[in-house]
Amino acid sequence: MTAPSTYGLSTQARNLQWLLTDLVEEVPGVNSVAVVSSDGLLLLSSDPGAVAVEPPAEPRAKGPRGASADLATIVSGLGSLTTGAAALMDTGAVKQTMVAMEHGSVFVMAISDGSLLGVHATPDCDMSVVAYHMALFVGRAGHVLTPEVRSELRQSMENTP
């Protein structure tokens, strides 16, 4: 994975990018990671070209804008769906969602500020290890994702070539 440039970012934003890069590189079976704001906007991504406006020169079967942009859309949708389900069932806040598929898994975990952490992993990943490392990320990132840092991250994702 090639990490996006952290030039010009605050220390907090650089630390969050480092934590995300570490999650992808150190946890076996993790394909991509995205942090999505409570309003569905991509804040952090393991794919440096995640917010490309135009489709790539060669068409991709898996989506038009890149793995992390697709993951961000899925994470936002799952977050909304499970939050609605929890409200209907009167069961409190959703902490984690996991979808196991034939050829992969998607994990979604709430961050304290309303943002969501999403992970796309291989079907043979150790789900408990992925969930544990996601919980570590959430614990470390939750207090850092202030409105100022979210705005900075959103701006940096918009400016990614």
Side-chain angles (χ1 to χ4, degrees), residues 21 26 72 103 113 150 156 158:
T21 301
E26 299 298 322
H103 299 291
D113 71 329
R150 283 193 305 270
S156 101
E158 290 172 2

Side-chain angles (χ1 to χ4, degrees), residues 44-96:
L44 280 172
S45 168
S46 62
D47 178 8
V51 292
V53 176
E54 297 184 25
E58 297 179 25
R60 290 183 41 222
K62 294 185 179 179
R65 292 181 20 179
S68 291
D70 293 344
L71 180 59
T73 301
I74 292 164
V75 166
S76 181
L78 283 173
S80 179
L81 178 65
T82 56
T83 298
L88 283 172
M89 294 181 202
D90 196 25
T91 55
V94 176
K95 296 180 182 180
Q96 181 176 345

Side-chain angles (χ1 to χ4, degrees), residues 107-122:
F107 300 81
V108 179
M109 191 173 284
I111 300 175
S112 62
D113 71 329
S115 299
L116 299 167
L117 171 64
V119 171
H120 172 233
T122 61

